[in-house]
Amino acid sequence: MTKASAAPGGRSTGLGEPVSARPRNPRGQGSRLREDIIRAATAMIERTGSDQSVTLRSVAREIGISAPSIYAHFEDRDAIVEAVVLEAIAQLHESVASAVAAHDDPVEGLLAGCAAYVDFGTREPARYHVLFDWARPKPESAGHDLSRTRGLNAFQTLVDNLDACVRAGRSTSADPFGDAVALWTALHGQVSLRASLPDFPWPPANTVEQMVFRLGHITSG
């Protein structure tokens, strides 16, 4: 049997892998370790551009703990990635909703919200990519319901905003939901393609405004 290696300070990974000693959290602050795990996984995804770099061992090395310590907060590496995804969804939603709320005019709000979406995707390419490329939890799992609900809530902001344009007489859309899907598809396509083909002669950034006016059936007013 292989003897578990000891880390500096006498700690052992139990997996034959040394780690740097990490100060124990004060009593009542065990949740900080969970946050540290999510931060570490997020940093790894940002560095590598993929969630495949996230494993129990790699996260443990990142923050200087033993890999088995993670089980008190996450059952496996997929649960860690899921937490990163849920946090990214929440931040994207907050960015878009805040941009929309900053404007009284519904069209200006729609433009600002869509611009915030593209800005998040281009500013956080790895975190944005993992939103769509991660291995989603099984339909019967609690994580599936939570991620689906948060994702739908974020999308509903776009639907409600476009509907507000219709009610204000600023859009001729007869199907705000369907047109919001088309607009979201276009925004996602722009973020993804710009990330994949940075050397392509892309038009100016005001293409977001063009997409909003065309796909949202915005009228002058």
Side-chain angles (χ1 to χ4, degrees):
M1 180 177 296
T2 301
K3 185 178 180 181
S5 59
R11 298 196 60 192
S12 170
T13 66
L15 294 172
E17 194 169 299
V19 296
S20 300
R22 176 183 184 276
R24 186 183 297 275
N25 285 325
R27 183 182 295 275
Q29 296 186 16
S31 62
R32 287 178 55 186
L33 177 55
R34 186 180 191 279
E35 295 173 0
D36 288 345
I37 292 170
I38 296 174
R39 295 284 80 71
T42 299
M44 293 168 63
I45 290 172
E46 290 175 342
R47 285 200 305 266
T48 65
S50 170
D51 67 283
Q52 295 304 308
S53 61
V54 177
T55 66
L56 296 183
R57 291 189 178 191
S58 64
V59 171
R61 283 196 303 268
E62 186 83 5
I63 54 181
I65 62 173
S66 63
S69 304
I70 296 175
Y71 288 117
H73 302 277
F74 298 97
E75 63 180 14
D76 53 31
R77 60 86 58 190
D78 290 338
I80 298 174
V81 175
E82 182 181 333
V84 173
V85 169
L86 289 174
E87 185 175 86
I89 292 175
Q91 291 181 1
L92 174 58
H93 185 194
E94 181 180 358
S95 296
V96 172
S98 296
V100 171
H103 299 273
D104 293 327
D105 181 83
V107 173
E108 291 182 0
L110 182 61
L111 288 169
C114 290
Y117 183 98
V118 173
D119 178 68
F120 180 92
T122 53
R123 179 168 38 86
E124 305 275 0
R127 296 178 68 212
Y128 180 85
H129 176 73
V130 81
L131 289 178
F132 302 94
D133 198 43
W134 69 303
R136 281 163 168 63
K138 296 178 181 179
E140 64 271 17
S141 72
H144 176 272
D145 292 338
L146 185 57
S147 62
R148 182 175 184 275
T149 297
R150 290 190 180 179
L152 288 175
N153 287 342
F155 174 70
Q156 190 62 42
T157 299
L158 177 58
V159 178
D160 292 343
N161 197 191
L162 182 55
D163 185 61
C165 293
V166 174
R167 287 185 280 104
R170 303 291 302 282
S171 170
T172 60
S173 173
D175 180 13
F177 180 85
D179 289 332
V181 170
L183 181 53
W184 173 46
T185 301
L187 294 173
H188 174 68
Q190 176 154 150
V191 171
S192 299
L193 287 173
R194 283 181 180 271
S196 300
L197 302 172
D199 296 329
F200 184 81
W202 295 102
N206 64 6
T207 52
V208 173
E209 180 175 331
Q210 294 173 13
M211 287 190 294
V212 170
F213 272 79
R214 291 175 182 174
L215 299 176
H217 303 281
I218 304 299
T219 61
S220 58

